[in-house]
Amino acid sequence: MLGCPSLDLATTILAELGERIELERLAQLTDLDTETSVLQHELGWLLDTTGWDEKTALLAHRLQQRRRVWQPLRTAASREGERHARWHIIVNTEVEVEA
């Protein structure tokens, strides 16, 4: 995630900081040149996974206006796995909050 060394660490950070995320500011990331795949899995899916799904509704709505392709959660792994329709993510790895 944007310079984060692992999905587990990114998940841990989002779990801890999720309460401080503002819905509108999160959704404004779609107005920038942020890659759709980054918004899909490195923010949207991970925030939903860590229990902050009430923070992602506006982001998900705005991303529906972009062309989205199915993205594997871990790009270096197989493209096999459960498909998460809201974020167009192929869940091809387990992600855990680090203690």
Side-chain angles (χ1 to χ4, degrees), residues 57-94:
L58 189 53
L59 175 64
H61 175 74
R62 289 195 182 170
L63 280 175
Q64 288 177 351
Q65 299 171 18
R66 287 188 178 187
R67 181 182 170 273
R68 297 179 297 162
V69 297
W70 287 97
Q71 294 289 326
L73 193 54
R74 184 168 307 279
T75 56
S78 166
R79 292 184 62 92
E80 298 295 318
E82 177 186 347
R83 291 180 178 244
H84 191 279
R86 182 178 191 193
W87 298 109
H88 274 65
I89 294 298
I90 302 168
V91 184
N92 63 348
T93 188
E94 290 186 30

Side-chain angles (χ1 to χ4, degrees), residues 5-66:
S6 76
L7 287 173
D8 291 338
L9 182 56
T11 303
T12 301
I13 292 167
L14 289 173
E16 293 175 6
L17 298 178
E19 67 185 41
R20 300 190 64 170
I21 293 174
E22 298 174 21
L23 282 73
E24 182 61 38
R25 293 194 65 173
L26 179 64
Q28 285 174 350
L29 291 172
T30 60
D31 298 333
L32 305 173
D33 287 334
T34 307
E35 287 184 41
T36 299
S37 64
V38 170
L39 296 174
Q40 282 173 243
H41 75 284
E42 295 184 1
L43 283 175
W45 187 84
L46 287 176
L47 281 168
D48 280 6
T49 300
T50 56
W52 296 109
D53 53 315
E54 75 273 6
K55 302 264 185 165
T56 61
L58 189 53
L59 175 64
H61 175 74
R62 289 195 182 170
L63 280 175
Q64 288 177 351
Q65 299 171 18
R66 287 188 178 187

